[in-house]
Amino acid sequence: MKNTVLIFLFASFCFAGHSQNFPGLNAVHKKKILASGLKTPLPTWLPSGFALDTFEIKTGKNVLVQDKVLLVQYTKKINDSTWQSFIVEAGFDGLGSLWYDNETVQSTVGKIEFYYQPLETGDNGKKEKQEDLIMTEWFTVDKLDFHVQCIITSGNEFELMGDEDEAENKYKYVPINKEDFKKVLQSLQILK
């Protein structure tokens, strides 16, 4: 009896170590990502209240590089007009980098450099917080670049997702806090 219990505990421990939990992703999402053959880093932890909002994948040999998309968006509704949101996105062509001072976090996919409202010298010569900038540098996973970006409404502009209602100021996207953003980055794992 004692051996049976030990074997059961060992098997449970091994299974738990290999199982992956990606909040919000269902079996269809996972199947599409795995079928694409892309090693995709996704968060295994989400801040309280966040849920999967948008899932878009368009890859394959017959898709032009400029038309390829792999985007997973998580969103939290704060009230009727205010949201928090971030995306995990693959970059298939033409990537650049930023010039701000950054911080680094360690995840299972490697070191990730990120910016959380970095300071920039303004026209007046003073350091000003870039409140509309919370994102990572591009990081490589199996020869494909990814980044994680917080969606923030900047003034009257909202270009990232092309939401027509945003131009009418119906919705506002506000930053998630820095510690939660770091935890999301640290939780990234490759879907297997």
Side-chain angles (χ1 to χ4, degrees):
M1 175 72 171
K2 185 176 179 181
N3 287 341
T4 305
V5 171
L6 289 175
I7 290 171
F8 176 75
L9 287 174
F10 178 74
S12 297
F13 177 76
C14 289
F15 178 73
H18 293 302
S19 67
Q20 293 182 297
N21 180 27
F22 295 97
L25 287 185
N26 63 35
V28 173
H29 298 132
K30 292 176 184 178
K31 186 176 181 179
K32 286 181 179 181
I33 291 173
L34 293 171
S36 75
L38 302 175
K39 304 245 186 261
T40 304
L42 295 166
T44 57
W45 178 85
L46 295 176
S48 177
F50 275 79
L52 181 69
D53 181 337
T54 304
F55 177 88
E56 186 177 354
I57 185 166
K58 185 177 176 184
T59 62
K61 293 179 182 177
N62 297 331
V63 180
L64 298 174
V65 68
Q66 65 269 21
D67 295 331
K68 291 185 178 188
V69 176
L70 195 165
L71 180 137
V72 183
Q73 177 182 353
Y74 300 90
T75 302
K76 173 183 179 178
K77 182 177 182 177
I78 297 174
N79 59 45
D80 287 342
S81 63
T82 308
W83 303 78
Q84 292 180 317
S85 190
F86 68 92
I87 62 171
V88 177
E89 180 179 31
F92 294 94
D93 68 341
L95 306 176
S97 62
L98 297 173
W99 55 90
Y100 300 108
D101 292 335
N102 59 44
E103 295 183 49
T104 303
V105 296
Q106 183 67 46
S107 77
T108 61
V109 300
K111 289 183 180 178
I112 300 173
E113 296 176 3
F114 75 97
Y115 306 94
Y116 190 93
Q117 300 179 338
L119 296 176
E120 179 176 68
T121 304
D123 293 336
N124 59 7
K126 295 182 180 179
K127 295 280 186 180
E128 300 171 352
K129 190 188 303 185
Q130 299 303 300
E131 294 181 358
D132 59 342
L133 178 59
I134 300 174
M135 66 184 299
T136 68
E137 278 286 358
W138 294 96
F139 56 94
T140 304
V141 175
D142 194 40
K143 301 179 185 174
L144 181 60
D145 293 317
F146 289 87
H147 75 165
V148 180
Q149 180 174 355
C150 190
I151 299 171
I152 303 172
T153 304
S154 176
N156 292 330
E157 297 180 20
F158 188 77
E159 299 176 3
L160 183 63
M161 302 307 286
D163 189 337
E164 294 173 9
D165 290 334
E166 196 60 38
E168 299 171 19
N169 293 318
K170 289 184 178 178
Y171 303 108
K172 181 175 181 170
Y173 287 84
V174 296
I176 65 176
N177 73 53
K178 185 176 184 179
E179 289 308 310
D180 282 349
F181 189 64
K182 286 172 70 172
K183 287 179 185 177
V184 166
L185 298 178
Q186 291 167 334
S187 80
L188 293 177
Q189 289 185 20
I190 297 169
L191 175 64
K192 297 178 184 177

